[in-house]
Amino acid sequence: MERLTPVHCNGCMNEILVLGGTGKTGRRIVHRLQSAGFPVRVGSRTAPIPFDWTDRATWTPALNGIETVYVSYYPDLAVPDAPDAIGAFTTAAVNAGVSRLVLLSGRGEDEAATCERIVQGAGIDWTVLRCSWFNQNFSEDYLLDAVLAGEVALPVDDVPEPFVDAEDIADVAVAALTQDGHTGQVYELTGPRLLTFADAVAEIAAATGRPVTFVRVPPQDYAAALPPEVAELLMYLFTTVLDGRNAHVTGDVRRVLGREPRDFADYAKATADVW
């Protein structure tokens, strides 16, 4: 990646606000920005200047003095409340003097597409990072316990997905936050090849050297075993979005970074000690 230089600073280096700054992509972005010497404000409920998507009173203080924001919405842009929250936040950001938004989005999600249009219509610089399923869902999220138990049971068929690595997302995000040339771009970020969930689990098994199997379960059985607060979202992602609509890779990671995206097999080998 080319040398990082600040944008929109007019002789000063304003803090970059990273929402979800302790999450999978956010904490990687924060680390990269801090390592490059950029002042960073971590957007989280526990930060010195807290930010909470469910408490709009925290938004304006977190935006004070900020020109550039990485927008990662919790729990996901696919939830019905997301467009309203993104709309209100975008208005607050513009009113606070923010001049650039970089939105983490999802591929093939209607609500996410609505949120993208809100950001694109804000009248300030924007970049959209439209991402596939994260590799790290197997090691830093709800699939970790299943991998550790040796059986990943999901309500999915043999639908291929171009799993993308959070490290690549972070590198692209930092470029969009700190370099010129990314305004008005929608980057679809994928890995270099398609894998089914069964393929991905097999890669994990090979990397760890122990049995880890994939089992397809009926959607109704899977839904019944989920906590109510996440059931609707996960079922939508597994049974609606994962229907083949995203079963193609793109060259956008290479276009932005000048290198190939990280392969799932390399991720699995590097992460094997976690499992």
Side-chain angles (χ1 to χ4, degrees), residues 4-15:
L4 302 182
T5 55
V7 295
H8 300 306
C9 65
N10 297 319
C12 61
M13 291 181 66
N14 291 80
E15 286 182 293

Side-chain angles (χ1 to χ4, degrees), residues 101-105 116 119-120 126-130 182 184-188:
L101 297 175
V102 176
L103 176 69
L104 177 67
S105 187
E116 291 176 13
V119 169
Q120 290 164 344
W126 58 266
T127 308
V128 170
L129 311 183
R130 194 181 287 162
H182 303 288
Q185 296 295 315
V186 177
Y187 295 126
E188 293 215 9

Side-chain angles (χ1 to χ4, degrees), residues 14-21 30 33-34 38-44 47-51 59-66 68:
N14 291 80
E15 286 182 293
I16 298 172
L17 174 61
V18 179
L19 301 186
V30 167
L33 290 171
Q34 290 176 336
F38 288 88
V40 181
R41 185 173 300 174
V42 177
S44 76
I49 303 176
F51 178 90
W59 296 3
T60 297
L63 288 164
N64 184 41
I66 297 293
T68 304

Side-chain angles (χ1 to χ4, degrees), residues 119-264:
V119 169
Q120 290 164 344
I124 60 175
D125 291 349
W126 58 266
T127 308
V128 170
L129 311 183
R130 194 181 287 162
C131 299
S132 303
W133 288 79
F134 295 3
N135 294 347
Q136 281 74 14
N137 286 341
F138 290 96
S139 55
E140 300 176 18
D141 210 329
Y142 51 89
L143 296 178
L144 173 59
D145 289 343
V147 173
L148 294 175
E151 181 180 283
V152 178
L154 294 172
V156 298
D157 294 315
D158 292 331
V159 178
E161 173 74 12
F163 293 91
V164 66
D165 200 276
E167 303 290 348
D168 290 337
I169 299 169
D171 282 343
V172 173
V174 168
L177 290 165
T178 63
Q179 299 170 6
D180 292 320
H182 303 288
T183 297
Q185 296 295 315
V186 177
Y187 295 126
E188 293 215 9
L189 306 183
T190 74
R193 61 188 172 113
L194 297 171
L195 299 91
T196 65
F197 273 83
D199 294 333
V201 171
E203 296 271 10
I204 292 170
T208 60
R210 66 179 183 83
V212 185
T213 59
F214 172 81
V215 177
R216 185 190 183 280
V217 295
Q220 61 272 20
D221 294 347
Y222 186 77
L226 291 173
E229 63 271 16
V230 299
E232 183 176 358
L233 172 61
L234 290 180
M235 292 307 298
Y236 170 70
L237 295 175
F238 281 124
T239 63
T240 299
V241 178
L242 194 69
D243 62 356
R245 69 184 69 182
N246 297 324
H248 60 279
V249 301
T250 76
D252 282 355
V253 169
R254 182 175 62 253
R255 181 156 69 99
V256 177
L257 302 178
R259 61 164 176 80
E260 293 300 316
R262 191 183 190 196
D263 189 78
F264 191 92

